[in-house]
Amino acid sequence: MHALERPLTAELERLATAGLTRHRRLLASPCGPRAVVEGQEMLAFASNDYLGLAAHPDIARALADAALVWGAGSGASHLVSGHLCPHAELESRLAAFTGFDRCLTFSTGYLANLAVTPTLAARRDDEIFADRLNHASLIDAAQLSRARHQRYPHGDMATLERLLAASVARTKLIVSDAVFSMDGDLAPLAKLFALAERFDAWLVIDDAHGFGVLGPQGRGSLAHCGLPAHPRVLLMGTLGKAAGVGGAFVAGSELAIEYLLQKARSYIFTTAQPPSIAAALIRSLELIAAGDDRRAHLQSLIRQLQAGCANLPWRLLPSQTAIQPLIVGDNEKALALSRSLWEQGLWVAAIRPPTVPAGTARLRISLSAAHRHEDVAALTSALQSLA
Ligand SMILES: Cc1ncc(COP(=O)(O)O)c(C=O)c1O
């Protein structure tokens, strides 16, 4: 072993001893409820493909057709020579869909989040107010900024109000997931917006898990809560979950988006996503807008799961989204439950600290409009048999 590797080995051993080593499962099938995983046929409740679009033939066809017309890669960043017609078309469709003036697209949601917070709150005397359960990419974004990072307890509007009232920062940024990725609950968006108005703060909303699923035509969590596309709001949405492809967008006012285009390092210093991805997303957006049947089916699966889990010794968190967490508590018990389901051909991920708070290890049941009612019945009866 090279001397440089010694501390790495020690850390890997520490993770292994703590039972925190992570493993990738290898799939030999496209994303969907029926997955071939390491030679086994599994019924999967583990993806973020909430509308069942990841393997939709129309989207795959749009991607393939566009690759034949536009080539495989964009060849440069958007500001150099990588901004192609499909990118521009996707931007304007996303802006129209979300109701904002304008939007920018990114290769991943992680990069989109890194673009917003450090760019808007760039100075030491700026202040960021963030929900404690925000996604890791929002936390990293805050750490990239020089601003002061204040984290308020999950959903605690009284504490947020107190922090905002005490702040003397010229630029204040309230940052929150719209739908929390490990709990499935919705942030109090109307209250966040009211506080942003009262204390003249930006409101940055990460709608990774609401876009496509919530709101009329799947326009997302803001539309679901009846909030306006106001100039103080920046909306980030990911395109690799309900949209079924990959990438992300940030939507906002004309000026805020122009500012990000000029200043956001994770927009400027990275190659634009392949144009075929943008073309696939244009088709996906059409399917999302016309996807009321998919969303209604998803909601009926959610109700079925909630009814089927009502008498279990583990508590399903209240969530109206596709993310349905079953709280087990103990790390080992959550892992054992996930393993027992696996042995019955059911794939549900166990989520443990540090991803979730200590003592709240859980199964993260992820539903998709591609599931059938008999799939959910198979899961609930397996859970009943293990209770
Ligand atoms: C809330 C939230 N924000 C951002 C991201 C990052 O998006 P992406 O996977 O497109 O990088 C994720 C998940 O991946 C997420 O759950």
Side-chain angles (χ1 to χ4, degrees), residues 48 50 106-113 133-138 176-182 206-209 236-241 246-248 323 364:
N48 302 315
Y50 304 133
F106 293 81
S107 300
T108 70
Y110 193 99
L111 284 178
N113 277 339
L133 293 191
N134 275 354
H135 187 257
S137 57
L138 288 174
S176 180
D177 282 19
V179 174
F180 288 86
S181 53
M182 294 301 144
D206 174 337
D207 202 18
H209 302 280
M236 193 287 279
T238 57
L239 301 168
K241 301 185 197 301
I323 304 165
R364 184 182 185 270

Side-chain angles (χ1 to χ4, degrees), residues 3 15 29 39 63 124 164 190 210 212 229 234 247 263 267 272 298 316 328 337 341 372 374 377 381 386:
L15 288 175
S29 57
L63 193 143
R124 272 181 217 292
L164 284 163
L234 282 149
K263 306 271 289 187
Y267 185 72
L298 180 60
L316 205 56
V328 178
L337 190 55
L341 289 172
R372 303 180 201 141
E374 65 240 44
S381 68
L386 295 167

Side-chain angles (χ1 to χ4, degrees), residues 42 44 81 117-118 133-134 139 143 163 174 185 216 248 265 279 328 341:
M42 302 297 294
S81 64
T117 295
L133 293 191
N134 275 354
I139 297 171
Q143 282 170 351
L163 291 172
I174 302 172
D185 59 328
R265 295 172 67 81
V328 178
L341 289 172

